[in-house]
């Protein structure tokens, strides 16, 4: 849509939001649009797959607005870094003495604060958000794609003195973080920095931080799922498999983050300085890499590279089924919720059948455990149980919508 046509459409619609326009080249991708026009924000993205060319347009290219739409820049890098031995991922990396630790976690898990404070305390630094993985033989290297950081307002205030003149640029697009230019730390920025091991940050209530060996499944699920969902690659098994293959051979550790962020950095430094005397532990991994966080469940099938998503209502049921709560007790409690649709039993059984069929739920137990029902959450999701499977030709809902069937 030419800029003058876009402006004319806005005038004719008298300020009302226009629908997005998405055009697909089915020979290239059935899930990622070749042309994506968003009249509300004034952005247009075009990808020409034949010559691997990416086009980007915006009504307002002022620095602040460009930073707010930073994921457009990330989308661009995602296109040009796709090769057999490179991949863009949503993760963070800092290092000491040439040994890098790759933080595998989605947003709001503490990786940015830990990475930025580590940089301020003398660690080598690659990125706290997005970075490029590059495989060379049996070595894995990382590269940054930009020199800005995003911190929550609370962390920005807490680290203000240590920022030493780093310039506040703007709020991010969601208005929940501050974007900061850290060009004055460029002497600590590193390129082609080797990965030594992987680490999964977990925020805990402990008074002291700690680092322990951990299974790799949850960490891999987080870095893979948070990457592909933001880069619109949920349905691209080759991308999922490449990221998984790049990191699954490394040792994984969990750093339990306490409220004292300086203690967390000191704990990381001590661990890395004494890495040779670390505790090594082998884990038996399930085929299904599961991550249940913020009351949402994501599952990566490590054999097929299919990603599954359960919304909060489905997670509420799934979690209790895993714990052994009797399914009939759960169903009866759901039926007692005010406003619950009459077909809830059909949807409930459909969810259980799909979980068993996909081998996510191994078996049904029946133990005398209390049922927990969050009525506010259920109503917030309009009483809809969602269990989705991301396939190469699109997204499939595994819980049958009986209203549509009828």
């Amino acid at each position: 849509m030419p800029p003058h046509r876009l402006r004319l459409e806005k005038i004719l619609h008298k300020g009302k939001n226009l629908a997005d326009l998405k055009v697909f080249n089915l020979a290239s991708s059935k899930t990622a649009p070749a042309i994506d026009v968003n009249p509300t924000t004034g952005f247009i993205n075009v990808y020409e797959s034949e010559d691997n060319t990416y086009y980007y347009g915006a009504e307002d290219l002022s620095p602040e607005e460009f930073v707010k739409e930073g994921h457009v820049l990330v989308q661009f890098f995602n296109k040009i870094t796709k090769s057999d031995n490179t991949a863009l991922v949503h993760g963070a990396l800092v290092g000491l003495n040439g040994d890098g630790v790759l933080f595998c976690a989605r947003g709001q898990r503490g990786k940015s604060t830990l990475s930025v404070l580590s940089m301020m305390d003398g660690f080598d630094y690659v990125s706290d958000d997005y970075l490029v993985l590059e495989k060379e033989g049996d070595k894995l290297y990382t590269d940054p794609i930009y020199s800005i950081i995003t911190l929550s307002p609370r962390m920005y205030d807490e680290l203000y003195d240590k920022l030493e003149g780093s310039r506040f640029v703007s709020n991010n697009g969601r208005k929940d973080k501050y974007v900061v230019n850290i060009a004055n730390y460029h002497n600590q920025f590193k390129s082609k920095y080797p990965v030594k091991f992987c680490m999964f940050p977990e925020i805990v209530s402990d008074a002291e931080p700690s680092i322990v060996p951990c299974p790799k499944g949850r960490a891999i699920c987080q870095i893979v799922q948070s990457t592909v969902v933001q880069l619109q690659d949920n349905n691209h098994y080759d991308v999922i498999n490449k990221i998984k293959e790049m990191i699954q051979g490394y040792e994984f550790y969990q750093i339990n983050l306490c409220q004292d962020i300086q203690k967390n950095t000191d704990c990381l430094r001590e661990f890395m300085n004494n890495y040779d005397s670390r505790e090594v532990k082998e884990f038996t991994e399930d085929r299904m890499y599961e991550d249940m966080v913020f009351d949402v469940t994501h599952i990566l099938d490590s054999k097929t590279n299919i990603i599954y998503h359960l919304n909060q209502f489905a997670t509420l049921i799934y979690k209790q089924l895993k714990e052994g709560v009797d399914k009939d007790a759960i169903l009866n409690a759901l039926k007692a919720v005010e406003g619950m649709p009459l077909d809830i039993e059909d949807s409930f059984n459909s969810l259980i059948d799909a979980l068993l069929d996909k081998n996510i739920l191994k078996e049904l137990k029946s133990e005398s455990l209390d049922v927990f029902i969050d009525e506010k959450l259920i109503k917030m999701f309009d009483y809809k149980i969602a269990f989705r499977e991301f396939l190469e030709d699109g997204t499939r809902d595994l819980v049958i919508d009986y209203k549509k069937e009828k």
Side-chain angles (χ1 to χ4, degrees), residues 24 176 219 304-305 313 318 381 401:
F24 292 84
D176 61 349
T304 64
N305 299 311
F313 188 5
Y318 171 56
F381 281 85
D401 190 335

Side-chain angles (χ1 to χ4, degrees), residues 59-268:
E59 285 190 299
D60 186 354
L61 277 174
S62 63
E64 182 178 2
E65 290 308 309
F66 186 74
V67 170
K68 285 181 181 178
E69 297 293 333
H71 279 210
V72 174
L73 179 67
V74 171
Q75 290 281 1
F76 166 73
F77 277 105
N78 183 41
K79 295 292 192 301
I80 66 175
T81 57
K82 279 183 177 174
S83 69
D84 291 339
N85 66 324
T86 59
L88 182 68
V89 298
H90 183 218
L93 189 132
V94 296
L96 280 177
N97 306 316
D99 293 333
V101 49
L102 177 65
F103 295 119
C104 303
R106 65 182 73 255
Q108 300 180 6
R109 305 305 299 163
K111 70 180 186 298
S112 288
T113 301
L114 181 59
S115 301
V116 173
L117 184 55
S118 297
M119 174 191 66
M120 295 173 177
D121 279 2
F123 281 66
D124 297 328
Y125 177 87
V126 174
S127 175
D128 78 301
D129 195 23
Y130 285 94
L131 50 84
V132 177
L133 296 179
E134 181 180 3
K135 191 77 171 180
E136 287 190 6
D138 61 349
K139 301 289 186 182
L140 183 62
Y141 297 94
T142 54
D143 289 285
I145 63 171
Y146 49 55
S147 60
I148 59 172
I149 61 172
T150 56
L151 295 171
S152 68
R154 185 175 74 83
M155 285 299 104
Y156 179 79
D157 291 340
E158 194 160 342
L159 296 176
Y160 186 82
D161 291 337
K162 283 185 174 256
L163 287 170
E164 296 179 353
S166 295
R167 184 168 60 89
F168 170 84
V169 180
S170 74
N171 291 313
N172 66 337
R174 296 189 304 270
K175 304 291 179 72
D176 61 349
K177 289 190 177 181
Y178 291 164
V179 178
V180 182
N181 186 321
I182 50 174
N184 55 319
Y185 281 96
H186 273 182
N187 63 314
Q188 288 170 245
F189 272 61
K190 303 296 178 182
S191 297
K192 201 163 186 179
Y193 203 86
V195 176
K196 183 72 172 179
F197 61 93
C198 300
M199 187 167 279
F200 177 73
E202 183 81 289
I203 300 173
V204 298
S205 59
D206 302 346
E208 299 291 332
S210 60
I211 297 176
V212 295
C214 72
K216 62 185 67 174
R218 186 183 180 196
I220 291 178
C221 183
Q222 283 216 8
I223 194 171
V224 169
Q225 194 276 335
S226 63
T227 295
V228 297
V229 72
Q230 296 191 61
L231 300 179
Q232 301 175 17
D233 283 332
N234 308 57
N235 311 79
H236 294 185
Y237 298 165
D238 55 337
V239 174
I240 294 170
N241 186 63
K242 180 170 58 176
I243 298 173
K244 183 192 70 182
E245 292 285 332
M246 281 181 164
I247 63 176
Q248 68 178 0
Y250 285 84
E251 291 182 352
F252 280 74
Y253 296 88
Q254 178 172 310
I255 179 168
N256 297 309
L257 303 173
C258 70
Q259 293 301 308
D260 189 326
I261 59 176
Q262 186 60 57
K263 284 184 177 181
N264 296 332
T265 301
D266 294 341
C267 179
L268 178 62

